[in-house]
Every structure is written in structure tokens, then in C-alpha cells.
Amino acid sequence: MLLLAMDTATPAVTVALHDGEAVVASSSRVDARRHGELLLPAVDRVLKEAGLKLDAVTGVVVGVGPGPYTGLRVGLVTAAAFSSALGVPVHGLCTLDGLAYASGIDEPFAVATDARRKEVYWARYDDSRTRTTDAAVDRPADIAEALAGLPVVGAGARLYPEAFPDARDPEHQSAAALAALAAERLGAGDGGAGGEGFLDPLPMYLRRPDAQVPKNYKVVTPK
């Protein structure tokens, strides 16, 4: 097994290789505006670090969000392209699940990432492997009472300390954690892409994109 994992659903552009037993190389850079520019060089970098070529990859793992439209689609399209070119499966995982897994917390907690517009993407967990709610998007003040007393992992907790006073690491997503979670589920026989334990590699937006056609749009092209 050699899994190539990537996630661009958050400001972190993150890539990792996992051989089924351990992460063999990883790269992460936080830059919310350069996902498309940074992702492929990161893939080249981890392959070079591991001393491997792309054709050694047996599966692709990708974070499906939730996340903003522009960044999220970079990782999903790249994962789909590699899957098609190599003839290997692509396994989708909720981005929040990667952060939860990396936390190692073994008691109830929540994960919250920055959704912009003064909102967070969030979900609740019983432990680092078990999500108990669907991912959602809300204003921090609207969910503060529901999450009162719980540790909250992720950048959302650090952005809104008044709503989430018990902020925990990690702050940013790691493809290394996402790859390790995927390897664990594959090792346990939790299905293939889209099967039990994985999501279809489709974007989880949770809301409409920022860019919309203006109202009262006037057509100026000839009929």
C-alpha cells in the first residue's frame, strides 16, 4: 500500500505519503490564497523525499471538506486526475475527521474550522475516531451553548475564544493524519472509495458559493 493524501479545504495546503504502516513523507504550508500554486509542488516534494515515483501510488486520499469553494476544488480535482491517470481508487474523507484523528482526544469534543463570514464549519466527536454529528456551518455564538464544556480542536476555536474557551491542537489540517486514518480504515476492511468508512470524492460545501450572478443582469451580446 502507498497512499497519496491531500487536503485543500482549509488554508493548509497539505500532502503526505503513507505506506500502510507509517507516514513516509509529508508537506504542509498554510496559505489561503495559493492552493492551486502550491499543491503539485508539494506532491513532487513528498515523492522526492520518500525516494518514490508517482506510479508507486496505490490509492489517493482526499479531504472533501467542508470548505470554501475555491480552495476545496483544487484538491478534489487533483485527486481525481491522479486517480484517473494511475488507475487507482480515490478515497474521500471529511476534513474535520482528519483534525479529530490528529488530536488523539479520547473523550467528547468538537472540531471547528474557519468558514469565513464570521462562521465555522464544525462537528461533534465521541473520540478522535468517532464523529457523532454531520458537519455543519454556523455562527460561533449560535453553537457555544451546545458545545459548552467541550474541548474544541482547530482554527475556529482560536478565532472565536469567547465561544470556544478550551481550544486544542492541532490548529491546521494535516494530510499525514488524513492518510493515517485512511490506512487504518482500509486495514480494517472498511470498504473502498465511497464505501463504508469513506465518502465519495465530491465537495462538501454546506452553503452557496460567494460568487453569484448579479441580480437584474443585463444581456449585452447580440441575439
Side-chain angles (χ1 to χ4, degrees):
M1 179 190 296
L2 184 67
L3 299 175
L4 171 64
M6 63 190 72
D7 198 324
T8 59
T10 71
V13 181
T14 179
V15 177
L17 287 170
H18 196 290
D19 66 3
E21 295 185 359
V23 173
V24 295
S26 64
S27 172
S28 292
R29 180 167 177 178
V30 178
D31 191 328
R33 298 181 180 275
R34 300 174 63 205
H35 294 86
E37 181 180 344
L38 296 173
L39 182 57
L40 289 178
V43 172
D44 287 340
R45 190 158 52 250
V46 298
L47 287 167
K48 184 177 181 180
E49 180 182 336
L52 298 167
K53 294 186 177 180
L54 186 60
D55 60 8
V57 169
T58 61
V60 180
V61 179
V62 64
V64 303
Y69 174 78
T70 302
L72 177 55
R73 64 179 177 172
V74 171
L76 286 164
V77 169
T78 303
F82 282 143
S83 173
S84 177
L86 298 171
V88 300
V90 56
H91 310 286
L93 287 173
C94 176
T95 293
L96 303 181
D97 289 357
L99 283 157
Y101 187 80
S103 75
I105 297 174
D106 60 1
E107 61 183 359
F109 69 103
V111 174
T113 61
D114 183 17
R116 304 176 186 173
R117 302 185 194 175
K118 298 182 179 180
E119 294 179 329
V120 293
Y121 297 118
W122 69 281
R124 288 184 62 145
Y125 293 79
D126 272 349
D127 54 53
S128 61
R129 292 174 172 81
T130 311
R131 177 159 45 88
T132 58
T133 66
D134 290 335
V137 58
D138 287 288
R139 289 183 177 273
D142 293 340
I143 58 174
E145 183 175 350
L147 301 183
L150 293 180
V152 182
V153 170
R158 298 180 183 278
L159 283 171
Y160 303 101
E162 68 285 353
F164 314 121
D166 189 2
R168 301 285 183 93
D169 289 333
E171 180 177 359
H172 296 293
Q173 173 70 311
S174 163
L178 205 67
L181 176 58
E184 183 176 291
R185 291 184 177 178
L186 286 167
D190 285 346
E196 183 182 356
F198 293 98
L199 302 172
D200 289 328
L202 301 172
M204 187 187 298
Y205 293 131
L206 300 187
R207 66 186 183 200
R208 297 178 63 84
D210 293 331
Q212 299 182 27
V213 177
K215 294 182 179 179
N216 303 317
Y217 179 73
K218 183 178 180 180
V219 177
V220 295
T221 55
K223 294 184 178 179

